[in-house]
Amino acid sequence: GWKKERVVAEFWDGKIVLVLPRDPSFAIKKVEDVQELVDNELGFQQVVPKCPNKIKTFLFISDEKRVVGCLIAEPIKQ
């Protein structure tokens, strides 16, 4: 639990936290760590977002305080 976390939904087994680009550095670092792990596991190369200041990252945090889900949303035109 971060002091200023943005909880967007709560469930019986965890919660969804929204992380925005202007959030504190510890939250951004956690997002970068999760993205690196996911990219490595899926075999993706590190992708640089086209609009980094408009990215929204949703993390599902289990009751055991582990990140068990991640969604990175970026607006696109085409």
Side-chain angles (χ1 to χ4, degrees), residues 23-42:
D23 284 352
S25 60
F26 61 85
I28 301 299
K29 177 70 172 131
K30 176 57 75 177
V31 167
E32 290 171 351
D33 291 347
V34 169
Q35 184 176 7
E36 182 180 349
L37 177 71
V38 170
D39 287 349
N40 286 339
E41 289 294 317
L42 296 176

Side-chain angles (χ1 to χ4, degrees), residues 8-65:
V8 294
E10 292 192 50
F11 302 94
W12 63 271
D13 59 345
K15 61 187 171 186
I16 297 175
V17 176
L18 171 61
V19 181
L20 298 173
R22 64 182 176 276
D23 284 352
S25 60
F26 61 85
I28 301 299
K29 177 70 172 131
K30 176 57 75 177
V31 167
E32 290 171 351
D33 291 347
V34 169
Q35 184 176 7
E36 182 180 349
L37 177 71
V38 170
D39 287 349
N40 286 339
E41 289 294 317
L42 296 176
F44 293 144
Q45 292 185 6
Q46 199 70 17
V47 178
V48 178
K50 294 184 182 196
C51 297
N53 59 340
K54 294 184 180 180
I55 288 182
K56 294 181 179 180
T57 303
F58 297 89
L59 299 174
F60 186 85
I61 313 294
S62 72
D63 285 340
E64 293 84 31
K65 307 289 188 226

